[in-house]
Amino acid sequence: MKYSGWPEPGELVVGKVDEIEDFGVFIDLEEYEDKRGLVHVSEVASGWIKNVRDHVNVGQTVVCKVFDVDEGSQQIDLSIKDVNEHQRSDKIQDWKNEQKADKWMSLAFGEEMTDEQYTQIANELYAEFGSIYDGFEQAAIHGAEALENTELSDDEIDSLVETARENVSVPYVNVTGYVDLRSPGKDGVDGIKEGLKAAEGNGDIPDEVELDVTYVGAPEYRIKVRAPNYKTAEAQLEESVARAEVAMEDVGGTANFHRDRHTDDE
């Protein structure tokens, strides 16, 4: 799906070179429906240009900055030279992401989805997340909870979450810490087991988080957390340690956290 409106001055747009003339380059805008812009020869590249075709080719995908928009004359003035490499790379990636998201919309709601339904769902995702792709990514990470502030129906949310979790590759981070569990007395082993269960969350860990507690060497255990971002990962690590501390105190033991490993051999 493409935008039906007009780009704004200063906006970066993705286009395909459609026609090359001595005075400039005509660009078909990939993100806007039936919109075409012109890059004057002076805006193709820095410096003096002998031949425009030395800088662009028909069919080439380019990123342009919008200079001016005249809806009355149906004219969009563009610049290629005013887009630096970092901007170009980021814009192309965003564009590719939205193309992926467009396919995911079809997977979620079927090829027979009407333009009205697409627009309604897309607008909800744009309003909440800034893009359709980011909406799918958050749905993959947080499930239905990510979409609870939208006006989407329960069925629409279920379809989005299911499709997101089947198709979106979510970036994850890992954090690791260590805890020494000690429980004196004849029931010390059972006390350690209770501490481990508590550290592991007793099955009550968010869907987007993976948390593993493994034995390193008495009395040391490794806590490894995999989560969508460092803030969540660190919070889950802290909560794991806090649960272990409470459980060990209940059996007269201790749980001491440290960031680096103490035991030499596993």
Side-chain angles (χ1 to χ4, degrees):
M1 299 291 287
K2 296 185 177 183
Y3 301 121
S4 58
W6 292 81
E8 296 288 336
E11 181 180 342
L12 297 181
V13 293
V14 177
K16 186 169 289 186
V17 176
D18 176 60
E19 186 179 347
I20 301 174
E21 301 291 347
D22 290 340
F23 58 83
V25 181
F26 289 99
I27 307 289
D28 286 338
L29 303 190
E30 295 290 300
E31 300 162 288
Y32 287 86
E33 187 175 331
D34 299 324
K35 296 297 185 294
R36 194 180 195 219
L38 172 65
V39 180
H40 187 267
V41 62
S42 62
E43 294 298 329
V44 172
S46 299
W48 182 71
I49 297 176
K50 181 178 181 180
N51 189 336
V52 180
R53 291 170 180 80
D54 291 337
H55 300 273
V56 291
N57 301 303
V58 172
Q60 179 182 347
T61 298
V62 294
V63 176
C64 304
K65 178 178 285 187
V66 179
F67 260 179
D68 188 45
V69 176
D70 188 336
E71 296 182 26
S73 61
Q74 302 281 300
Q75 184 171 329
I76 303 172
D77 294 328
L78 306 168
S79 173
I80 294 176
K81 75 175 185 180
D82 275 7
V83 180
N84 63 42
E85 183 57 31
H86 179 71
Q87 291 173 319
R88 191 196 72 81
S89 178
D90 284 351
K91 179 60 182 178
I92 287 292
Q93 187 59 57
D94 289 343
W95 174 60
K96 289 181 178 179
N97 286 345
E98 288 303 284
Q99 287 183 308
K100 290 180 183 179
D102 187 62
K103 293 179 181 178
W104 295 338
M105 288 281 279
S106 296
L107 290 174
F109 303 104
E111 295 291 342
E112 68 278 3
M113 174 178 52
T114 64
D115 289 347
E116 290 76 15
Q117 183 185 16
Y118 184 105
T119 300
Q120 179 261 326
I121 295 171
N123 285 342
E124 288 293 327
L125 297 179
Y126 272 112
E128 185 68 19
F129 306 105
S131 74
I132 301 175
Y133 180 88
D134 287 342
F136 272 99
E137 185 174 73
Q138 291 303 307
I141 295 171
H142 300 292
E145 180 182 350
L147 303 168
E148 62 183 12
N149 292 329
T150 67
E151 298 297 325
L152 299 172
S153 69
D154 290 343
D155 287 343
E156 289 170 338
I157 288 175
D158 289 343
S159 295
L160 283 167
V161 171
E162 180 181 356
T163 302
R165 288 188 162 165
E166 289 177 354
N167 294 276
V168 180
S169 297
V170 178
Y172 277 87
V173 298
N174 295 303
V175 298
T176 302
Y178 297 85
V179 63
D180 295 340
L181 302 180
R182 294 183 173 88
S183 181
K186 63 179 181 179
D187 296 326
V189 173
D190 291 335
I192 296 296
K193 288 181 179 178
E194 291 303 313
L196 289 174
K197 288 181 182 178
E200 291 169 346
N202 295 310
D204 189 23
I205 300 296
D207 291 341
E208 70 270 19
V209 174
E210 294 180 11
L211 189 152
D212 295 307
V213 183
T214 55
Y215 177 73
V216 177
E220 191 175 21
Y221 294 82
R222 177 192 293 113
I223 304 174
K224 185 175 182 180
V225 181
R226 185 173 186 263
N229 54 68
Y230 281 106
K231 182 178 179 180
T232 299
E234 288 290 344
Q236 288 297 317
L237 178 61
E238 291 175 4
E239 290 178 21
S240 175
V241 173
R243 291 191 299 266
E245 288 173 341
V246 171
M248 295 306 294
E249 287 176 4
D250 288 344
V251 297
T254 61
N256 297 310
F257 175 75
H258 48 96
R259 179 66 66 174
D260 298 320
R261 179 181 168 189
H262 288 169
T263 305
D264 291 333
D265 298 317
E266 295 191 26

